[in-house]
Amino acid sequence: MKELQRKLSRKEKGSKNWEKAEIGVAKLHHKIANSRKNFHFQVAHQLCDQGEMIFVEDIDFRVSAKGFLGKSMLDGGFGQFRTILKWVCWKRDKFFAQVDHKYSSQICPNCGTHTGKKPLSQRQHICPECNYQTTRDHAAAEVLLQRGLEATQEVRMDVAERKLPSNGDLSGSVFDWLDKCRSRNTQERS
Ligand SMILES: [Zn+2]
């Protein structure tokens, strides 16, 4: 890409050769976007091969892109990956839900103790309470999994108690559905 852009900058703007070089740059952009999308689909299918439920954290990547990781967050196409993953889950009949990400890297997945903020350089989770040790990302993933399972458990109990929803439709986010339940309950009470 750098080479092509260098060539483009050397051409006289508006000339035939400049036009050719510009088309070359555009083609490569297209190719990069396509191979990234293919890669995202491959990974999404690999994840679906491994389990029945997938929980992802509800981070707003547009906000992160403004932060310290900067534009590389957008370059990586994290938002696109989440969208593709959700679609592949739907296609393959796997459960997909987004989970609250707050403090997921500050809680011990083994005993629930708040272990405080880890600097990004600290790659290990070592719990001062129960001595549970694992990598930082694995610990956070375990916390997210527990949150996801707890939320689905709540929904299951709701379904069992009130026989809702009768059509068994749990598509979309568990949380959307929980929100609907809660607002309906509030309305009934008032
Ligand atoms: Zn612990």
Side-chain angles (χ1 to χ4, degrees):
M1 182 60 89
K2 255 187 192 157
E3 175 66 21
L4 284 181
Q5 271 164 345
R6 203 171 50 86
K7 270 186 188 165
L8 176 67
S9 68
R10 280 189 192 154
K11 310 282 185 238
E12 193 190 330
K13 207 171 175 183
S15 69
K16 262 265 175 284
N17 283 333
W18 175 83
E19 211 168 87
K20 268 188 208 161
E22 204 184 37
I23 288 170
V25 168
K27 272 185 179 166
L28 191 58
H29 268 299
H30 190 70
K31 204 182 159 191
I32 290 169
N34 265 344
S35 53
R36 176 174 294 149
K37 205 180 266 183
N38 282 341
F39 174 67
H40 285 168
F41 271 100
Q42 272 175 25
V43 175
H45 276 288
Q46 275 169 16
L47 289 172
C48 282
D49 289 339
Q50 293 172 42
E52 295 304 311
M53 301 174 113
I54 293 182
F55 301 108
V56 299
E57 49 184 359
D58 60 351
I59 282 185
D60 183 348
F61 294 112
R62 285 163 306 172
V63 175
S64 303
K66 285 180 195 154
F68 68 102
L69 286 171
K71 223 177 135 262
S72 64
M73 286 288 285
L74 289 180
D75 283 349
F78 286 97
Q80 176 184 276
F81 176 64
R82 191 167 54 186
T83 308
I84 287 173
L85 180 61
K86 190 177 176 180
W87 186 83
V88 170
C89 283
W90 171 76
K91 197 80 183 153
R92 292 191 49 183
D93 210 15
K94 306 281 178 172
F95 186 84
F96 174 94
Q98 293 195 41
V99 186
D100 185 8
H101 72 277
K102 286 186 207 79
Y103 308 111
S104 59
S105 58
Q106 301 181 32
I107 291 170
C108 173
N110 191 47
C111 70
T113 301
H114 255 267
T115 53
K117 206 164 187 170
K118 298 180 183 76
L120 253 196
S121 57
Q122 190 185 327
R123 305 313 299 168
Q124 289 291 314
H125 166 85
I126 303 164
C127 179
E129 289 298 319
C130 70
N131 209 27
Y132 179 62
Q133 294 188 25
T134 183
T135 62
R136 173 205 181 97
D137 293 337
H138 185 253
E142 281 185 291
V143 172
L144 295 173
L145 173 62
Q146 283 168 16
R147 284 181 184 171
L149 289 174
E150 274 163 24
T152 53
Q153 201 61 38
E154 247 182 277
V155 171
R156 279 201 205 102
M157 279 160 60
D158 266 356
V159 173
E161 279 170 26
R162 296 194 216 112
K163 300 195 176 357
L164 281 171
S166 55
N167 62 0
D169 182 16
L170 287 177
S171 60
S173 155
V174 171
F175 296 95
D176 292 346
W177 194 78
L178 267 178
D179 284 344
K180 256 184 245 160
C181 269
R182 283 190 188 124
S183 68
R184 189 165 47 222
N185 292 343
T186 322
Q187 281 163 15
E188 279 169 9
R189 257 181 263 123
S190 57

